[in-house]
Amino acid sequence: MSTKKVISGNYTASYASMLCRAEVVPAYPITPQTTIVEKIAEFVASGQMKAQYINVESEHSAMAACISAALTGVRTFTATSAHGLVLMHEMLHWAAGARTPVIMANINRALAPPWNVWADHTDSMSQRDTGWIQIYCSSNQEVLDTLILCYKVCEQPDIMLPAMVNLDAFILSHTSEVVDVPDQKEVDDFLPQFNPEIKLDVDEPLSFGTLAFPSSWYMEWRYKIQHAHDLAAKRLVEEAKAFEKHFGRPWGGLIEEYRSKDAEIILVTMSTIASTTKDVVDSLRDQGRDVGLVRIKSFRPFPTKDLREALGHAKVVGVADRSHTFGNEGPLFTEVKGALYNHDRRPPLVGFTVGIGGRDVLGSTIEGLYDHLEKVADGEAYKEVRWIDLIGDEEEVV
Amino acid sequence: MKEIRFHGRGGQGAVIASNILANAAFLEGKDVQAFPFFGVERRGAPVTAFTRLDEKPIRIKYFIYNPNYVIVLDESLLKAVDVTAGLKDPGIVVVNSKRTPEEMELSQYKVATVDATSIALDNGLGSKVSPIVNTVMLGAFSIATSVIKLESILESIPGQVPIKAEENTKACKTAAEKIVLHW
Amino acid sequence: MDRPRKDERPDYKTWKDIPLTPVCNFTTIKGNPTGGWRTFRPIVDMDKCIKCGICWQDCPDAAIVWEEDHPVWLYSHCKGCGICARECPSDAIEMELEVKI
Ligand code: SF4
Ligand code: SF4
């Protein structure tokens, strides 16, 4: 029997790691992730959770410990945020390359300077090429469900990839919401034991992390990571169906379409901004305006095919990014444009950089984006990339 | 949807109060959100916390700017913070105080008061310098507004306060009796 | 994909054949004699050696084996890094240029 609890996004992640029976949890505290690992330490100390909690000296070590533990065939969990995540960077590549299904909660937080502990996706976006699966959540329930689903998918013998489950700093991490927490048996029945085919074994020694040459197998090993991502895109959707059957709650697909199938004007975004956008879409629809939302849940694997189907019919598409690739534009914007370029139907696209460093994204902020998109749909000249709510002046076209 | 803002000082339990209220509303079948002001916390500094409750699923994920109700855990904050900022009309302010709305310069609002500090100390909650008044204020809030039943608050206290569940429950009930509605 | 068998030369034909996790089933010491990389050779003076085992413990290539009560150097694998000589507490190991020997 599941129990409904009013708990924060962070505690939700802690519960998920316990219910998924993570056996090794190496972690280093950082705001706003700290309460995840505090709670896990409590679970372990009280004997509720049978895991080895490892105090490490840095996030780099935390990830190194996760990889090593996973290579011995045990289930691992860790959590971090912002500067912690970027310090892990080298080891993130290693985790994916070594094909260890490490599961990590990342609290999306801005990077310094200037210091800022609030919601921003720059930390995880800058880990795009590490080979990790990246899912972005828009509610605490989704944090729990996604963590369970990721263990299920990532540990499959033909996937074996690490996954990062992202939740917005404070907006989810420190906000209590109603979460349906399954009991241990329900999770055990869904999630088999982790039993990798290749692991460290003193009786059958193998060298891990060996050299591979230009002439043979390095490129092939890299291709296999891509191949696993292609499989993971399918497997996430299949396992989500099994999840729904088992837990009685849908997880959905790599994207979520909200009143967008018959909409002319579509906003594409992620995480908690997308949740607020649903209310905005409803109220604009009530006014007879032709708007919809497409929420990207899986950023890696990137849902190119789904996006083509979901966006091809639109008159104009806006993409709201809570991060920015300096020297260009929002990373989500780039990727959505890329997905549509080779498609026969290519609506005009506008990129919005919004909510940087936790600047509050209100319903009215999002309404402003739709206003802007309507003008583009009416044929007004537009800037391809907009920084929203800059104080005092608009961005400058140089 | 109802939106509630708590004003307290670090250590008085404003954040826990926002959670107790959310949990109580959840017990009544509502969807809820509770969150602290996303700041950098220090003991003694002004703290703000929020609760949102609704019959329908809550999807908005931004701050509360126009609360229906404000709960002030520490009267001295009236001087330091604009506690009625953005308060909806007609809003209700529940203050931990022995004074009248006129004395507090709050007479343009619907005000309810309770001497939460004395009730907390009578029940051994906190110390004279830092009484823990959160559960007391929630007892008063349930009477001052029709948003939440006292029983629901009492039911959700034990799972949310770290210690002294019984004392908190008793203090909460006392506040419900001693509250003064100035309207 | 099966776990590669120890010290058995695999016959991979396509990317489909290689194991998912990049591993090598040849341990360095067996499949790859690295002694030829050496510029300096560690030479022990057994009269000075106090048989503490530090060289044996610290050799990164496991090129020192312990026989009965003393260290023995496997020159087929010693890379000549000099760690043993640096760490020996009684200065019993000298690094000599290979060409001279
Ligand atoms: S020189 Fe280096 S490789 Fe050779 S035995 Fe000494 S420590 Fe080992
Ligand atoms: S470290 Fe030096 S003294 Fe110790 S066993 Fe090796 S050669 Fe002998």
Side-chain angles (χ1 to χ4, degrees):
Chain A
M1 259 292 284
S2 64
T3 337
K4 284 194 172 161
K5 290 188 202 299
V6 180
I7 48 172
S8 68
N10 276 357
Y11 282 0
T12 305
S14 320
Y15 274 103
S17 74
M18 176 166 68
L19 288 168
C20 292
R21 297 189 184 278
E23 295 163 276
V24 172
V25 183
Y28 191 83
I30 182 170
T31 300
Q33 156 266 32
T34 312
T35 55
I36 298 183
V37 291
E38 267 176 14
K39 195 77 186 168
I40 292 176
E42 240 176 82
F43 287 153
V44 173
S46 70
Q48 249 183 301
M49 184 172 174
K50 306 246 170 318
Q52 181 76 40
Y53 182 86
I54 309 177
N55 271 317
V56 285
E57 70 275 39
S58 77
E59 286 85 356
H60 190 277
S61 309
M63 190 44 63
C66 279
I67 296 164
S68 320
L71 283 174
T72 69
V74 302
R75 191 170 281 162
T76 57
F77 178 77
T78 188
T80 191
S81 179
H83 290 262
L85 184 69
V86 298
L87 182 58
M88 276 181 189
H89 180 75
E90 182 198 5
M91 288 292 114
L92 295 181
H93 280 282
W94 198 276
R99 306 303 289 273
T100 50
V102 176
I103 306 295
M104 169 163 68
N106 176 56
I107 312 300
N108 279 132
R109 171 195 138 176
L111 293 170
W115 281 116
N116 178 298
V117 296
W118 294 276
D120 191 299
H121 296 169
T122 309
D123 56 356
S124 54
M125 283 292 153
S126 59
Q127 311 311 319
R128 187 191 65 175
D129 302 337
T130 53
W132 282 60
I133 289 176
Q134 284 197 17
I135 313 278
Y136 290 77
C137 300
S138 71
S139 71
N140 291 352
Q141 184 71 59
E142 203 170 55
V143 171
L144 183 118
D145 297 353
T146 306
L147 283 168
I148 299 173
L149 188 65
C150 280
Y151 277 111
K152 180 77 183 264
V153 170
C154 293
E155 291 175 357
Q156 293 180 3
D158 54 351
I159 307 277
M160 293 292 280
L161 288 171
M164 189 187 296
V165 175
N166 292 285
L167 50 153
D168 282 339
F170 296 103
I171 307 170
L172 289 186
S173 74
H174 283 60
T175 298
S176 298
E177 295 178 346
V178 181
V179 180
D180 198 343
V181 183
D183 69 16
Q184 190 61 61
K185 190 174 176 310
E186 276 177 283
V187 178
D188 287 347
D189 289 346
F190 182 73
L191 190 61
Q193 268 200 325
F194 176 41
N195 192 15
E197 285 166 25
I198 296 176
K199 59 182 169 197
L200 285 162
D201 180 350
V202 285
D203 295 328
E204 271 291 302
L206 291 171
S207 306
F208 287 73
T210 51
L211 183 72
F213 293 94
S215 56
S216 69
W217 312 121
Y218 180 83
M219 191 162 162
E220 286 69 22
W221 259 309
R222 294 278 119 177
Y223 169 67
K224 282 170 93 79
I225 299 176
Q226 174 59 42
H227 183 63
H229 268 268
D230 295 342
L231 291 174
K234 282 197 163 160
R235 211 62 60 72
L236 278 165
V237 178
E238 284 164 22
E239 289 297 345
K241 287 201 190 97
F243 181 97
E244 181 171 358
K245 220 170 143 215
H246 188 77
F247 293 99
R249 226 183 1 261
W251 187 83
L254 306 182
I255 64 168
E256 181 189 2
E257 295 170 78
Y258 187 77
R259 304 186 78 167
S260 62
K261 288 204 163 79
D262 59 343
E264 287 203 328
I265 292 164
I266 300 177
L267 185 68
V268 179
T269 188
M270 303 200 296
S271 301
T272 54
I273 295 180
S275 181
T276 302
T277 303
K278 289 182 185 173
D279 265 23
V280 177
V281 166
D282 284 356
S283 86
L284 296 183
R285 282 275 177 150
D286 288 347
Q287 297 166 26
R289 292 164 68 179
D290 216 351
V291 300
L293 158 76
V294 169
R295 172 164 77 100
I296 293 180
K297 281 153 71 185
S298 173
F299 183 67
R300 282 292 179 276
F302 194 73
T304 300
K305 219 174 115 245
D306 300 21
L307 286 172
R308 286 180 179 172
E309 279 163 24
L311 301 175
H313 69 276
K315 209 166 162 191
V316 58
V317 172
V319 182
D321 264 282
R322 199 167 207 151
S323 62
H324 196 86
T325 298
F326 299 111
N328 197 17
E329 59 201 12
L332 196 60
F333 180 46
T334 305
E335 303 253 351
V336 173
K337 267 198 300 191
L340 293 183
Y341 189 81
N342 273 347
H343 191 45
D344 46 4
R345 304 186 63 179
R346 246 189 292 161
L349 286 119
V350 187
F352 301 114
T353 293
V354 64
I356 298 299
R359 179 157 305 173
D360 211 7
V361 179
L362 282 73
S364 56
T365 318
I366 294 160
E367 217 178 301
L369 306 186
Y370 280 117
D371 290 344
H372 188 78
L373 293 174
E374 276 175 352
K375 283 186 204 146
V376 176
D378 289 344
E380 229 173 77
Y382 64 95
K383 292 184 198 163
E384 197 180 332
V385 180
R386 300 289 324 269
W387 281 69
I388 301 304
D389 287 346
L390 283 181
I391 296 170
D393 259 319
E394 279 188 8
E395 70 281 285
E396 190 174 72
V397 180
V398 182
Chain B
M1 182 176 328
K2 294 283 183 261
E3 296 180 319
I4 299 99
R5 187 170 66 211
F6 295 82
H7 290 281
R9 289 190 186 277
Q12 285 179 330
V15 178
I16 290 180
S18 70
N19 274 301
I20 296 174
L21 178 57
N23 200 65
F26 157 69
L27 294 175
E28 293 183 5
K30 296 200 169 79
D31 195 23
V32 298
Q33 270 179 1
F35 49 95
F37 179 79
F38 308 154
V40 194
E41 294 129 29
R42 293 139 298 162
R43 181 163 284 268
V47 165
T48 319
F50 307 86
T51 305
R52 230 181 220 130
L53 23 125
D54 202 354
E55 316 290 338
K56 303 190 304 271
I58 302 172
R59 298 183 298 193
I60 56 173
K61 307 272 182 186
Y62 49 86
F63 266 120
I64 289 172
Y65 297 93
N66 300 108
N68 303 84
Y69 309 104
V70 169
I71 301 174
V72 184
L73 277 65
D74 187 317
E75 196 185 348
S76 71
L77 284 170
L78 293 175
K79 278 197 217 100
V81 183
D82 182 6
V83 299
T84 56
L87 180 63
K88 276 210 174 100
D89 187 23
I92 295 178
V93 190
V94 186
V95 193
N96 170 14
S97 173
K98 289 188 257 196
R99 296 192 292 165
T100 64
E102 289 71 29
E103 287 167 334
M104 295 186 287
E105 294 175 23
L106 288 173
S107 45
Q108 67 269 46
Y109 304 97
K110 277 178 91 171
V111 176
T113 55
V114 65
D115 181 6
T117 304
S118 305
I119 297 173
L121 293 177
D122 286 351
N123 286 282
L125 302 172
S127 64
K128 223 174 181 124
V129 271
S130 109
I132 301 172
V133 297
N134 54 358
T135 51
V136 186
M137 291 306 290
L138 286 171
F141 176 76
S142 76
I143 301 301
T145 70
S146 53
V147 165
I148 195 88
K149 292 197 193 87
L150 179 62
E151 297 79 67
S152 311
I153 299 275
L154 294 173
E155 197 182 329
S156 67
I157 287 175
Q160 303 280 331
V161 293
I163 48 163
K164 297 193 177 176
E166 217 170 285
E167 290 86 339
N168 273 292
T169 313
K170 198 165 147 256
C172 180
K173 279 189 204 154
T174 310
E177 286 156 18
K178 295 212 170 152
I179 183 167
V180 186
L181 307 174
H182 300 271
W183 61 73
Chain C
M1 199 100 22
D2 290 335
R3 183 187 173 95
R5 288 273 192 71
K6 192 175 161 191
D7 296 336
E8 205 172 79
R9 233 208 222 272
D11 184 22
Y12 299 142
K13 296 212 160 49
T14 124
W15 62 268
K16 289 182 181 158
D17 299 335
I18 58 175
L20 211 60
T21 309
V23 287
C24 173
N25 57 340
F26 280 83
T27 40
T28 313
I29 217 93
K30 266 217 172 118
N32 193 8
T34 48
W37 304 10
R38 192 171 55 236
T39 309
F40 290 91
R41 175 191 291 240
I43 300 196
V44 67
D45 178 348
M46 267 308 168
D47 293 340
K48 283 192 186 170
C49 171
I50 56 166
K51 289 145 185 152
C52 65
I54 289 175
C55 55
W56 168 81
Q57 178 186 295
D58 287 1
C59 172
D61 251 312
I64 303 169
V65 290
W66 203 254
E67 272 183 14
E68 285 171 21
D69 67 341
H70 64 280
V72 172
W73 273 255
L74 298 177
Y75 291 116
S76 56
H77 286 84
C78 162
K79 286 177 184 158
C81 70
I83 289 175
C84 53
R86 171 74 175 73
E87 296 303 322
C88 172
S90 58
D91 284 334
I93 307 164
E94 284 299 328
M95 299 301 291
E96 304 266 359
L97 244 177
E98 278 286 341
V99 284
K100 278 198 199 157
I101 305 162

